[in-house]
Amino acid sequence: MYIDTAITPTKYLWYARCGFVGLVAILVYWADLSWWQMGLVAGVAVFCVWQDWINDVPLCELSTKDPDELWDLGVFVDDRQVWQAYLNNAHLVDFGFGQAVRLSFYVVEPHKQPLTTWVFYDSVPKTTFCKLAAQANFGGY
């Protein structure tokens, strides 16, 4: 299965992060905690979202000839780079308003590290999303 596509950025993860902080704020308010406990829990929630945001590597391209072999990942860190990685895991997730595929890679070039990214249904062409969804459902992960 040949996959070669550009990925357009979406705001869905930003909405999810803001929703998480809002939900924590509502639950803290309902818990009737003192002001310093509310501040501590809200600070931890904001710190978790901030850590997730700064560790996010924006993926702008995907390319592979065989999904079980090496993938070429176009990333944008300071400039455009091509990283090479192996696909570890793929999951199809239905959010109710749309679907996304969560891809977990193990990057081997330029340096060894794990990388997880989300590909939303409207950020790639429909045929490419169907291929990624089939990989998630039937890829043996």
Side-chain angles (χ1 to χ4, degrees), residues 49-62:
V49 168
W50 178 72
Q51 280 292 328
D52 185 50
W53 180 64
I54 65 166
N55 290 328
D56 187 34
V57 176
L59 195 64
C60 55
E61 293 178 11
L62 277 174

Side-chain angles (χ1 to χ4, degrees), residues 58-133:
L59 195 64
C60 55
E61 293 178 11
L62 277 174
S63 180
T64 186
K65 291 182 182 176
D66 182 11
D68 294 330
E69 296 296 324
L70 206 57
W71 289 61
D72 292 326
L73 308 176
V75 297
F76 191 79
V77 181
D78 293 327
D79 56 348
R80 288 189 179 249
Q81 300 175 2
V82 176
W83 290 4
Q84 292 183 329
Y86 290 100
L87 182 64
N88 281 341
N89 203 347
H91 289 286
L92 181 64
V93 180
D94 189 357
F95 289 106
F97 59 84
Q99 293 182 332
V101 177
R102 181 180 175 270
L103 301 170
S104 297
F105 293 99
Y106 184 71
V107 178
V108 292
E109 285 293 328
H111 47 82
K112 296 180 179 176
Q113 71 176 21
L115 173 68
T116 301
T117 188
W118 291 84
V119 179
F120 290 91
Y121 67 99
D122 60 349
S123 63
V124 294
K126 193 170 194 169
T127 56
T128 303
F129 187 79
C130 289
K131 288 178 184 179
L132 291 172

